Amino acid sequence: MALLKVFDPCAICLLCLVLSASELCNGGITGNFLRKEYSPDMPLDSDVFQVPPGYNAPQQVHITQGDTDGRGVIISWITPDEPGSDTVLYWSENSKNKNRAEGIFVRYKFFNYTSGYIHHCTIKNLEYNTKYMYEIGIGYTIRRFWFKTPPRTGPDVPYTFGLIGDLGQTHDSNVTLTHYESNPKKGKTVLFLGDLSYSNDYPFHDNTRWDTWGRFIERNAAYQPWIWTAGNHELDFAPQLEETTPFKPYMHRYYVPFASSHSTSPLWYSIKRGSAYLIVLSSYSAYGKSTPQYKWLRDELPKVDRSKTPWLIALMHCPIYTSNSHHFMEGETMRVVFESWFVKYKVDVVFSGHVHAYERSKRISNIAYNIVNGMCTPVDDQSAPVYITIGDGGNHDGPAIGMMEPQPNFSAYREASFGHGIFDIKNRTHAYFSWHRNQDGYAVEADSFWFHNSYWNPLGKSFVAQH
């Protein structure tokens, strides 16, 4: 038998994974609910894509947090035919005095498409825990919406987040959004895990699909903030169309408050909301040592004050732990770079999309592994995050049904169904997570889990609630 003279890192890593799978067959639960393999797009004449009446009426209205602490809001919309007004009028629910804020507009071209006038207006210094009304438009096209600011940041502030990823614009996408809106837990802010419109899947990266998607989500995103994470379908890198600027449509349409967290890019940033510190990362930007994203996260994590924001949450598109054959190990390089920091700073949970299924891990880490020691089996680690994949919004690719067998030990629950998640923070020590399958009643929890905060309750053993 010939002896290997050179170590092949990929071969070693794959061998370890095979050995791990064969040795650790006492994984968790695999849901047996099976979805159809394909999800058709909604017709373009669907009411969810309807253009508001009136010439040049504002459309695709959406909001996101506009600063670090939650007292700011970025309001965005598009006027299709001409710039129109950049002004937002806003007032608190119990006030008759309307305030005025002025925004900006931008445009972009992509291949044979020219966007409408994309408006962004940042409102600052709002009162906490207050409902505000706002108006945009001119004359007969004025449209009115509302939002509610979060409570003041504090360690025992309860707050409820919704989680959606890989949404698209299919019939199943519509069910997912309807299911989330009807959930009795009432999420107050959506943490969106990347892959928005899927426009790049249409011929010539059809950017009109950005417009239809923006009108589709307006019914929710105009009233509560969506915290954006960029996915691979936002890259829109198409040299064959002479389009070589990554993320061009996404970054023109979806502004985020990256500068307030001293980030140099809107693709990675942080915000505080309630008792949570949210860190958004970019799976499709450079993150190796000495890159801007690496240096930003290195400097950002020590700033987190767990006495004020006890819940530390990371968002990224590509999961670094998955037992699904779809996109298997695509997040491995990011795991190598960032996992030790997640453990060191006791990140509570990492939410991801990309894999079109749902999966929840145990608290595990693989930080002992290096290329020569062979210790490449994830182990229980109460300082490590729980990794949750929610890439099951309803896109046209259908669910990722290729689960790896046997189910590895690190996987607590997995299922190839469409749905959404709810992360309900109770206080500094406990939060309750639930995953809701589209086919169930609004209050049904297909999977649920109590979180014991990694900083305030480090010895508490997390446990599974009733399925």
Side-chain angles (χ1 to χ4, degrees):
M1 179 182 297
L3 295 176
L4 286 175
K5 295 183 179 179
V6 178
F7 285 112
D8 183 341
C10 294
I12 293 174
C13 193
L14 289 172
L15 176 60
C16 290
L17 287 167
V18 172
L19 291 174
S20 298
S22 63
E23 293 171 357
L24 298 174
C25 56
N26 59 336
I29 298 170
T30 298
N32 57 11
F33 189 93
L34 295 179
R35 291 281 304 134
K36 60 182 180 292
E37 294 186 5
Y38 179 74
S39 190
D41 283 333
M42 290 181 283
L44 289 175
D45 60 358
S46 298
D47 58 356
V48 299
F49 298 144
Q50 185 175 4
V51 176
Y55 171 74
N56 205 43
Q59 59 172 268
Q60 305 175 53
V61 184
H62 57 273
I63 66 174
T64 193
Q65 187 157 315
D67 64 356
T68 299
D69 297 318
R71 293 186 63 193
V73 171
I74 300 173
I75 299 174
S76 302
W77 70 95
I78 292 179
T79 50
D81 302 304
E82 57 182 81
S85 173
D86 287 330
T87 301
V88 175
L89 298 179
Y90 66 98
W91 62 99
S92 64
E93 185 178 28
N94 299 320
S95 173
K96 296 182 180 179
N97 297 321
K98 294 185 178 182
N99 303 293
R100 178 185 299 266
E102 301 296 330
I104 63 167
F105 73 83
V106 295
R107 302 186 80 188
Y108 73 92
K109 293 183 178 181
F110 191 97
F111 188 50
N112 59 358
Y113 169 90
T114 301
S115 75
Y117 299 83
I118 307 168
H119 300 258
H120 302 287
C121 181
T122 301
I123 301 175
K124 301 177 181 180
N125 299 318
L126 300 170
E127 297 296 323
Y128 286 113
N129 206 29
T130 301
K131 184 175 181 179
Y132 284 89
M133 318 299 293
Y134 70 97
E135 288 181 351
I136 53 177
I138 303 172
Y140 293 109
T141 66
I142 290 176
R143 303 186 68 199
R144 178 180 294 184
F145 306 90
W146 60 267
F147 62 85
K148 189 173 182 180
T149 54
R152 184 184 299 273
T153 299
D156 290 306
V157 174
Y159 201 80
T160 306
F161 293 100
L163 291 129
I164 299 174
D166 301 68
L167 188 58
Q169 41 196 305
T170 70
H171 290 286
D172 287 298
S173 312
N174 194 32
V175 173
T176 297
L177 190 52
T178 302
H179 210 216
Y180 168 68
E181 292 170 319
S182 304
N183 193 314
K185 291 183 180 296
K186 297 300 178 188
K188 300 173 183 177
T189 294
V190 170
L191 306 181
F192 194 86
L193 303 169
D195 284 2
L196 285 67
S197 70
Y198 285 79
S199 70
N200 68 316
D201 277 355
Y202 298 90
F204 307 110
H205 290 231
D206 184 1
N207 269 230
T208 62
R209 283 296 185 169
W210 277 106
D211 295 317
T212 54
W213 194 80
R215 294 195 291 271
F216 163 49
I217 68 162
E218 180 190 88
R219 72 191 202 217
N220 186 270
Y223 297 92
Q224 64 176 248
W226 286 38
I227 308 304
W228 301 108
T229 311
N232 56 300
H233 283 272
E234 280 68 73
L235 272 166
D236 276 307
F237 182 76
Q240 72 278 15
L241 304 177
E242 298 185 353
E243 290 292 346
T244 56
T245 302
F247 302 104
K248 184 200 285 187
Y250 170 76
M251 289 202 292
H252 277 81
R253 292 171 180 268
Y254 294 96
Y255 274 25
V256 298
F258 69 97
S260 64
S261 59
H262 306 288
S263 169
T264 57
S265 169
L267 300 173
W268 55 87
Y269 61 99
S270 70
I271 60 170
K272 291 178 278 189
R273 198 165 185 89
S275 53
Y277 202 107
L278 302 166
I279 290 181
V280 177
L281 298 173
S282 177
S283 299
Y284 301 95
S285 303
Y287 47 76
K289 190 173 182 180
S290 298
T291 61
Q293 184 171 198
Y294 176 97
K295 290 190 287 188
W296 175 81
L297 184 59
R298 178 199 63 198
D299 297 338
E300 184 70 13
L301 285 168
K303 297 177 183 177
V304 181
D305 185 348
R306 305 295 281 270
S307 67
K308 296 180 179 178
T309 49
W311 293 94
L312 182 51
I313 300 169
L315 313 178
M316 62 179 67
H317 184 62
C318 184
I320 65 176
Y321 281 102
T322 179
S323 66
N324 200 299
S325 60
H326 292 253
H327 306 301
F328 181 61
M329 285 193 71
E330 283 185 19
E332 177 64 8
T333 52
M334 184 173 265
R335 183 199 67 77
V336 169
V337 175
F338 289 152
E339 185 184 23
S340 61
W341 291 353
F342 293 163
V343 175
K344 177 181 178 180
Y345 292 99
K346 297 182 183 294
V347 173
D348 291 289
V349 57
V350 177
F351 290 111
S352 304
H354 199 42
V355 176
H356 299 162
Y358 167 72
E359 185 165 17
R360 172 175 56 82
S361 80
K362 301 174 184 177
R363 286 195 182 276
I364 44 89
S365 73
N366 202 13
I367 58 175
Y369 170 64
N370 62 48
I371 201 64
V372 295
N373 67 10
M375 299 170 62
C376 58
T377 301
V379 298
D380 291 340
D381 188 339
Q382 289 302 305
S383 293
V386 173
Y387 294 89
I388 295 180
T389 300
I390 307 183
D392 54 355
N395 62 85
H396 52 215
D397 291 334
I401 58 177
M403 303 290 188
M404 298 186 66
E405 297 294 346
Q407 185 171 359
N409 187 52
F410 69 78
S411 176
Y413 188 95
R414 60 185 188 173
E415 183 172 316
S417 299
F418 291 138
H420 72 275
I422 296 287
F423 191 74
D424 189 12
I425 296 173
K426 305 295 187 182
N427 51 39
R428 75 183 68 191
T429 61
H430 290 82
Y432 186 74
F433 171 80
S434 54
W435 174 67
H436 301 261
R437 186 191 298 116
N438 280 0
Q439 283 65 40
D440 296 334
Y442 296 133
V444 174
E445 299 169 350
D447 182 42
S448 53
F449 181 75
W450 274 104
F451 275 84
H452 288 239
N453 184 271
S454 296
Y455 180 86
W456 284 100
N457 194 8
L459 300 179
K461 290 187 176 180
S462 302
F463 60 95
V464 180
Q466 295 296 317
H467 289 278

